[in-house]
Amino acid sequence: MDIMTVTLTNDAPAAHWGKADVTYQGAQTLIHLSGSDELRQVQMAARKIRNQGVNTVQLTGDLWNLHSQWAFAQGFATAKAGYQVLWCGSDADQATLTQRAEAAQFARKLINDTPEDLSPVGLATQAAAWLKNIGGDKVSFTIVEGQELLEKKWVGIHAVGRGSERPPALLELDFNPLAADAPVSVALVGKGITFDSGGYSLKSSEGMLAMKCDMGGAATVTAALGLAMKAGLNKRVKLFLCCAENLVSGRAFKLGDILTYKNGTTVEIVNTDAEGRLVLADGLQAASDTGAPLIIDAATLTGAAVMAVGSNYNAIFSPQTATLQLAQKRAAAVSENVWPLPLDPWHKDMCPSAYADTANSRPVKGGGAGGASNAAGFLWRFVSPQANWLHVDLAGAFESSASALWAAGATTHGVLTIAELLKD
């Protein structure tokens, strides 16, 4: 196996290299730091090196730290397997990086899997098995699927998934390293739409192509919990994954349908492509039922969030300023990017219905102005008023095509932030 060594340097490249930020001295590759946004520069340099067909690198030298090595690894990663980054630095940093890589690889594989290979029940099963393997007897779970969802009044997941031959499912997982009656400290909720055709509000072929990534929220919260467990998490956390395929058939839910949720809220369907919030509503109610003082949900929810913050940030929402500030602080600690978008009480009423308490969107293209905040306002209806709540709209979870920073496919951006939030 050929291994390329990669070293960071503050020296300018030799004159014959011009303005190149990656140069070569024999078997050694140098990344020349310019002092401006060095992590971004390192990640871009990793993409250049990977694009040359390099599969294995050994990071060497004194300038590497935890953050720069992780930035390199994110740029070096691709949807195709067969690559490896060998770490340097302290034993503690190398152990942390290995844990991160294992969690990210789990999420990346799930998100990049084909829709045919990853069914809703399959997503729930794989997530539970991975966490069970990490946590052993500290992890217990149940998977509620198909008609049983309706019997338990999880009407959103059932409605969205009933158009598929493969049943929808809700994973309810409990990680408890404490006493049996220990309180739940955090509840996590993930959107697990394994494929989103848009339903009768059918997406274009181009818009549908990347919709295997619409379970990115489920993969993100699962990987975050697994990473925190690997790092010694010592609090009780419950995880809820809301899994379904949004397809068109004679059994699929339709525009004009009205769903009555477990908490009594009625919702008119005005856009079957606004399905993520319908399944999350069930998950947020289940999370609220745990009594957890902090609820975090993650979802590839709206194109409006991507338009607002781009694909290198994740949008965050919360009714509590302190929760937003905590999320920003924890994201900065692991060099991930989040940006708060507006969420006011009146956002709950921005999707009005003449027939129900609310509609699931607005009957205009993309949900209209402020679509990401309106979606968050919809979700707020299903969150316990006693809980602190953070909603993460994963604008940066997936790249449809390769960029200067990322290979095409899952980025896993957001996993570290949520894992950090689980620590305290």
PDB file of all heavy atoms in Angstrom, residues 116 119-121 145-146 160-168 244-252:
ATOM      1  N   GLU A 116     -33.192   1.807  -2.575  1.00  0.00           N
ATOM      2  CA  GLU A 116     -33.601   0.393  -2.638  1.00  0.00           C
ATOM      3  C   GLU A 116     -32.970  -0.416  -1.511  1.00  0.00           C
ATOM      4  O   GLU A 116     -33.591  -1.329  -0.957  1.00  0.00           O
ATOM      5  CB  GLU A 116     -33.212  -0.204  -3.996  1.00  0.00           C
ATOM      6  CG  GLU A 116     -33.622  -1.654  -4.188  1.00  0.00           C
ATOM      7  CD  GLU A 116     -35.128  -1.863  -4.107  1.00  0.00           C
ATOM      8  OE1 GLU A 116     -35.896  -0.915  -4.393  1.00  0.00           O
ATOM      9  OE2 GLU A 116     -35.536  -2.995  -3.741  1.00  0.00           O
ATOM     10  N   SER A 119     -34.481   0.623   3.466  1.00  0.00           N
ATOM     11  CA  SER A 119     -35.910   0.801   3.712  1.00  0.00           C
ATOM     12  C   SER A 119     -36.113   1.499   5.053  1.00  0.00           C
ATOM     13  O   SER A 119     -35.178   1.604   5.859  1.00  0.00           O
ATOM     14  CB  SER A 119     -36.601  -0.559   3.740  1.00  0.00           C
ATOM     15  OG  SER A 119     -36.184  -1.291   4.887  1.00  0.00           O
ATOM     16  N   PRO A 120     -37.329   1.984   5.332  1.00  0.00           N
ATOM     17  CA  PRO A 120     -37.572   2.600   6.642  1.00  0.00           C
ATOM     18  C   PRO A 120     -37.262   1.662   7.812  1.00  0.00           C
ATOM     19  O   PRO A 120     -36.579   2.062   8.766  1.00  0.00           O
ATOM     20  CB  PRO A 120     -39.060   2.955   6.576  1.00  0.00           C
ATOM     21  CG  PRO A 120     -39.315   3.193   5.120  1.00  0.00           C
ATOM     22  CD  PRO A 120     -38.475   2.177   4.416  1.00  0.00           C
ATOM     23  N   VAL A 121     -37.741   0.431   7.765  1.00  0.00           N
ATOM     24  CA  VAL A 121     -37.439  -0.514   8.836  1.00  0.00           C
ATOM     25  C   VAL A 121     -35.949  -0.831   8.857  1.00  0.00           C
ATOM     26  O   VAL A 121     -35.341  -0.979   9.928  1.00  0.00           O
ATOM     27  CB  VAL A 121     -38.279  -1.801   8.692  1.00  0.00           C
ATOM     28  CG1 VAL A 121     -37.838  -2.861   9.700  1.00  0.00           C
ATOM     29  CG2 VAL A 121     -39.766  -1.486   8.883  1.00  0.00           C
ATOM     30  N   GLU A 145     -43.924  -0.373  13.709  1.00  0.00           N
ATOM     31  CA  GLU A 145     -44.008  -0.269  12.251  1.00  0.00           C
ATOM     32  C   GLU A 145     -45.412  -0.540  11.732  1.00  0.00           C
ATOM     33  O   GLU A 145     -46.249  -1.143  12.404  1.00  0.00           O
ATOM     34  CB  GLU A 145     -43.020  -1.234  11.597  1.00  0.00           C
ATOM     35  CG  GLU A 145     -43.283  -2.696  11.863  1.00  0.00           C
ATOM     36  CD  GLU A 145     -42.290  -3.593  11.131  1.00  0.00           C
ATOM     37  OE1 GLU A 145     -42.560  -3.935   9.956  1.00  0.00           O
ATOM     38  OE2 GLU A 145     -41.250  -3.937  11.731  1.00  0.00           O
ATOM     39  N   GLY A 146     -45.640  -0.049  10.516  1.00  0.00           N
ATOM     40  CA  GLY A 146     -46.874  -0.334   9.808  1.00  0.00           C
ATOM     41  C   GLY A 146     -48.120   0.104  10.548  1.00  0.00           C
ATOM     42  O   GLY A 146     -48.196   1.201  11.110  1.00  0.00           O
ATOM     43  N   VAL A 160     -47.400   9.485   5.922  1.00  0.00           N
ATOM     44  CA  VAL A 160     -46.354   9.710   4.919  1.00  0.00           C
ATOM     45  C   VAL A 160     -45.886   8.400   4.313  1.00  0.00           C
ATOM     46  O   VAL A 160     -45.625   8.313   3.111  1.00  0.00           O
ATOM     47  CB  VAL A 160     -45.167  10.473   5.543  1.00  0.00           C
ATOM     48  CG1 VAL A 160     -43.989  10.536   4.576  1.00  0.00           C
ATOM     49  CG2 VAL A 160     -45.591  11.882   5.944  1.00  0.00           C
ATOM     50  N   GLY A 161     -45.795   7.347   5.122  1.00  0.00           N
ATOM     51  CA  GLY A 161     -45.229   6.089   4.654  1.00  0.00           C
ATOM     52  C   GLY A 161     -46.208   5.092   4.086  1.00  0.00           C
ATOM     53  O   GLY A 161     -45.800   4.066   3.537  1.00  0.00           O
ATOM     54  N   ARG A 162     -47.516   5.381   4.156  1.00  0.00           N
ATOM     55  CA  ARG A 162     -48.472   4.345   3.770  1.00  0.00           C
ATOM     56  C   ARG A 162     -48.542   4.129   2.258  1.00  0.00           C
ATOM     57  O   ARG A 162     -49.071   3.121   1.801  1.00  0.00           O
ATOM     58  CB  ARG A 162     -49.857   4.701   4.312  1.00  0.00           C
ATOM     59  CG  ARG A 162     -50.581   5.795   3.570  1.00  0.00           C
ATOM     60  CD  ARG A 162     -51.870   6.190   4.260  1.00  0.00           C
ATOM     61  NE  ARG A 162     -52.702   7.007   3.389  1.00  0.00           N
ATOM     62  CZ  ARG A 162     -53.582   7.890   3.826  1.00  0.00           C
ATOM     63  NH1 ARG A 162     -53.732   8.098   5.131  1.00  0.00           N
ATOM     64  NH2 ARG A 162     -54.321   8.565   2.974  1.00  0.00           N
ATOM     65  N   GLY A 163     -48.000   5.041   1.477  1.00  0.00           N
ATOM     66  CA  GLY A 163     -48.010   4.864   0.029  1.00  0.00           C
ATOM     67  C   GLY A 163     -46.978   3.875  -0.466  1.00  0.00           C
ATOM     68  O   GLY A 163     -47.011   3.466  -1.631  1.00  0.00           O
ATOM     69  N   SER A 164     -46.055   3.464   0.389  1.00  0.00           N
ATOM     70  CA  SER A 164     -45.014   2.520  -0.001  1.00  0.00           C
ATOM     71  C   SER A 164     -45.396   1.099   0.373  1.00  0.00           C
ATOM     72  O   SER A 164     -46.112   0.869   1.351  1.00  0.00           O
ATOM     73  CB  SER A 164     -43.697   2.886   0.697  1.00  0.00           C
ATOM     74  OG  SER A 164     -42.721   1.877   0.491  1.00  0.00           O
ATOM     75  N   GLU A 165     -44.893   0.129  -0.378  1.00  0.00           N
ATOM     76  CA  GLU A 165     -45.067  -1.270  -0.012  1.00  0.00           C
ATOM     77  C   GLU A 165     -44.250  -1.627   1.218  1.00  0.00           C
ATOM     78  O   GLU A 165     -44.542  -2.603   1.909  1.00  0.00           O
ATOM     79  CB  GLU A 165     -44.647  -2.175  -1.177  1.00  0.00           C
ATOM     80  CG  GLU A 165     -45.543  -2.061  -2.407  1.00  0.00           C
ATOM     81  CD  GLU A 165     -45.091  -2.987  -3.518  1.00  0.00           C
ATOM     82  OE1 GLU A 165     -44.036  -3.644  -3.339  1.00  0.00           O
ATOM     83  OE2 GLU A 165     -45.772  -3.061  -4.549  1.00  0.00           O
ATOM     84  N   ARG A 166     -43.209  -0.841   1.497  1.00  0.00           N
ATOM     85  CA  ARG A 166     -42.351  -1.100   2.648  1.00  0.00           C
ATOM     86  C   ARG A 166     -42.835  -0.240   3.807  1.00  0.00           C
ATOM     87  O   ARG A 166     -42.934   0.984   3.679  1.00  0.00           O
ATOM     88  CB  ARG A 166     -40.894  -0.828   2.301  1.00  0.00           C
ATOM     89  CG  ARG A 166     -40.438  -1.656   1.118  1.00  0.00           C
ATOM     90  CD  ARG A 166     -38.938  -1.717   0.963  1.00  0.00           C
ATOM     91  NE  ARG A 166     -38.359  -0.469   0.494  1.00  0.00           N
ATOM     92  CZ  ARG A 166     -37.067  -0.351   0.146  1.00  0.00           C
ATOM     93  NH1 ARG A 166     -36.263  -1.398   0.230  1.00  0.00           N
ATOM     94  NH2 ARG A 166     -36.602   0.799  -0.279  1.00  0.00           N
ATOM     95  N   PRO A 167     -43.150  -0.822   4.940  1.00  0.00           N
ATOM     96  CA  PRO A 167     -43.844  -0.089   6.004  1.00  0.00           C
ATOM     97  C   PRO A 167     -42.985   1.003   6.631  1.00  0.00           C
ATOM     98  O   PRO A 167     -41.760   0.862   6.745  1.00  0.00           O
ATOM     99  CB  PRO A 167     -44.169  -1.189   7.028  1.00  0.00           C
ATOM    100  CG  PRO A 167     -43.164  -2.257   6.771  1.00  0.00           C
ATOM    101  CD  PRO A 167     -42.914  -2.231   5.295  1.00  0.00           C
ATOM    102  N   PRO A 168     -43.637   2.087   7.072  1.00  0.00           N
ATOM    103  CA  PRO A 168     -42.947   3.107   7.853  1.00  0.00           C
ATOM    104  C   PRO A 168     -42.668   2.577   9.251  1.00  0.00           C
ATOM    105  O   PRO A 168     -43.237   1.558   9.676  1.00  0.00           O
ATOM    106  CB  PRO A 168     -43.948   4.260   7.883  1.00  0.00           C
ATOM    107  CG  PRO A 168     -45.285   3.598   7.760  1.00  0.00           C
ATOM    108  CD  PRO A 168     -45.064   2.385   6.880  1.00  0.00           C
ATOM    109  N   ALA A 244     -39.763   6.643   6.992  1.00  0.00           N
ATOM    110  CA  ALA A 244     -40.806   6.359   5.997  1.00  0.00           C
ATOM    111  C   ALA A 244     -40.255   6.627   4.606  1.00  0.00           C
ATOM    112  O   ALA A 244     -39.268   7.356   4.435  1.00  0.00           O
ATOM    113  CB  ALA A 244     -42.043   7.231   6.244  1.00  0.00           C
ATOM    114  N   GLU A 245     -40.911   6.042   3.607  1.00  0.00           N
ATOM    115  CA  GLU A 245     -40.704   6.396   2.195  1.00  0.00           C
ATOM    116  C   GLU A 245     -41.918   7.207   1.742  1.00  0.00           C
ATOM    117  O   GLU A 245     -43.061   6.791   1.961  1.00  0.00           O
ATOM    118  CB  GLU A 245     -40.608   5.142   1.320  1.00  0.00           C
ATOM    119  CG  GLU A 245     -39.321   4.370   1.439  1.00  0.00           C
ATOM    120  CD  GLU A 245     -39.295   3.174   0.487  1.00  0.00           C
ATOM    121  OE1 GLU A 245     -40.300   2.454   0.397  1.00  0.00           O
ATOM    122  OE2 GLU A 245     -38.266   2.964  -0.148  1.00  0.00           O
ATOM    123  N   ASN A 246     -41.667   8.327   1.099  1.00  0.00           N
ATOM    124  CA  ASN A 246     -42.761   9.175   0.604  1.00  0.00           C
ATOM    125  C   ASN A 246     -42.955   8.898  -0.880  1.00  0.00           C
ATOM    126  O   ASN A 246     -42.262   9.467  -1.724  1.00  0.00           O
ATOM    127  CB  ASN A 246     -42.429  10.650   0.844  1.00  0.00           C
ATOM    128  CG  ASN A 246     -43.565  11.576   0.467  1.00  0.00           C
ATOM    129  OD1 ASN A 246     -44.723  11.165   0.370  1.00  0.00           O
ATOM    130  ND2 ASN A 246     -43.244  12.845   0.242  1.00  0.00           N
ATOM    131  N   LEU A 247     -43.887   7.984  -1.184  1.00  0.00           N
ATOM    132  CA  LEU A 247     -44.085   7.542  -2.569  1.00  0.00           C
ATOM    133  C   LEU A 247     -45.523   7.794  -3.021  1.00  0.00           C
ATOM    134  O   LEU A 247     -46.399   8.149  -2.229  1.00  0.00           O
ATOM    135  CB  LEU A 247     -43.766   6.049  -2.688  1.00  0.00           C
ATOM    136  CG  LEU A 247     -42.333   5.627  -2.329  1.00  0.00           C
ATOM    137  CD1 LEU A 247     -42.162   4.118  -2.534  1.00  0.00           C
ATOM    138  CD2 LEU A 247     -41.310   6.403  -3.155  1.00  0.00           C
ATOM    139  N   VAL A 248     -45.744   7.616  -4.312  1.00  0.00           N
ATOM    140  CA  VAL A 248     -47.062   7.792  -4.907  1.00  0.00           C
ATOM    141  C   VAL A 248     -47.671   6.417  -5.173  1.00  0.00           C
ATOM    142  O   VAL A 248     -47.029   5.546  -5.764  1.00  0.00           O
ATOM    143  CB  VAL A 248     -46.967   8.576  -6.235  1.00  0.00           C
ATOM    144  CG1 VAL A 248     -48.345   8.695  -6.874  1.00  0.00           C
ATOM    145  CG2 VAL A 248     -46.354   9.948  -6.005  1.00  0.00           C
ATOM    146  N   SER A 249     -48.906   6.222  -4.725  1.00  0.00           N
ATOM    147  CA  SER A 249     -49.631   4.988  -5.018  1.00  0.00           C
ATOM    148  C   SER A 249     -51.093   5.226  -4.699  1.00  0.00           C
ATOM    149  O   SER A 249     -51.478   6.302  -4.225  1.00  0.00           O
ATOM    150  CB  SER A 249     -49.093   3.830  -4.160  1.00  0.00           C
ATOM    151  OG  SER A 249     -49.540   3.947  -2.819  1.00  0.00           O
ATOM    152  N   GLY A 250     -51.902   4.215  -4.899  1.00  0.00           N
ATOM    153  CA  GLY A 250     -53.308   4.329  -4.555  1.00  0.00           C
ATOM    154  C   GLY A 250     -53.559   4.438  -3.070  1.00  0.00           C
ATOM    155  O   GLY A 250     -54.646   4.830  -2.635  1.00  0.00           O
ATOM    156  N   ARG A 251     -52.526   4.121  -2.263  1.00  0.00           N
ATOM    157  CA  ARG A 251     -52.659   4.192  -0.810  1.00  0.00           C
ATOM    158  C   ARG A 251     -52.009   5.444  -0.230  1.00  0.00           C
ATOM    159  O   ARG A 251     -52.047   5.667   0.982  1.00  0.00           O
ATOM    160  CB  ARG A 251     -52.020   2.951  -0.175  1.00  0.00           C
ATOM    161  CG  ARG A 251     -52.678   1.633  -0.584  1.00  0.00           C
ATOM    162  CD  ARG A 251     -51.926   0.441  -0.019  1.00  0.00           C
ATOM    163  NE  ARG A 251     -51.867   0.502   1.446  1.00  0.00           N
ATOM    164  CZ  ARG A 251     -50.752   0.397   2.158  1.00  0.00           C
ATOM    165  NH1 ARG A 251     -49.596   0.242   1.543  1.00  0.00           N
ATOM    166  NH2 ARG A 251     -50.788   0.428   3.467  1.00  0.00           N
ATOM    167  N   ALA A 252     -51.370   6.254  -1.071  1.00  0.00           N
ATOM    168  CA  ALA A 252     -50.607   7.403  -0.567  1.00  0.00           C
ATOM    169  C   ALA A 252     -51.535   8.485  -0.032  1.00  0.00           C
ATOM    170  O   ALA A 252     -52.677   8.636  -0.468  1.00  0.00           O
ATOM    171  CB  ALA A 252     -49.731   7.962  -1.676  1.00  0.00           C
TER     172      ALA A 252
END
